[in-house]
Amino acid sequence: MGMNPMKLLQYKNDCEQFLVRHPKLPRFFEAVSEEALEVGTVIEVNVTTEEGKNYVSNICLSELDIELIRNLKNDFQNS
């Protein structure tokens, strides 16, 4: 199953614009990738809606997860 190359370019542009709107996020991800990317690290996501409803989930990183994250990081840095 392939993806439309034009759609990939649009996603890339959308991601770049997202990071412009949220400039602290890349620095946060960089610090995490340099200092905390190891087997057993827990990543937790907490989302609170405007109305105050809260959603929380977490994952514990495996070696395969870390490999995927590193590959994605390298791909984004090289594009």
Side-chain angles (χ1 to χ4, degrees):
M1 177 162 120
M3 183 172 254
N4 180 338
M6 294 307 290
K7 197 67 155 170
L8 284 174
L9 288 174
Q10 181 61 47
Y11 286 139
K12 183 178 185 292
N13 183 53
D14 292 347
C15 285
E16 289 170 353
Q17 292 303 311
F18 179 85
L19 294 175
V20 167
R21 291 190 305 272
H22 306 284
K24 293 180 183 178
L25 197 58
R27 290 187 296 255
F28 172 78
F29 284 140
E30 186 65 31
V32 169
S33 71
E34 289 176 2
E35 301 171 15
L37 202 56
E38 57 189 44
V39 173
T41 294
V42 175
I43 297 175
E44 183 171 281
V45 177
N46 182 346
V47 176
T48 305
T49 68
E50 204 171 329
E51 297 80 26
K53 191 168 185 180
N54 198 355
Y55 301 87
V56 179
S57 185
N58 64 56
I59 59 170
C60 183
L61 295 179
S62 70
E63 187 62 45
L64 289 174
D65 299 328
I66 292 168
E67 183 178 341
L68 172 64
I69 293 167
R70 286 187 177 139
N71 287 339
L72 289 170
K73 179 182 174 187
N74 289 337
D75 288 348
F76 278 105
Q77 286 176 341
N78 295 328
S79 63

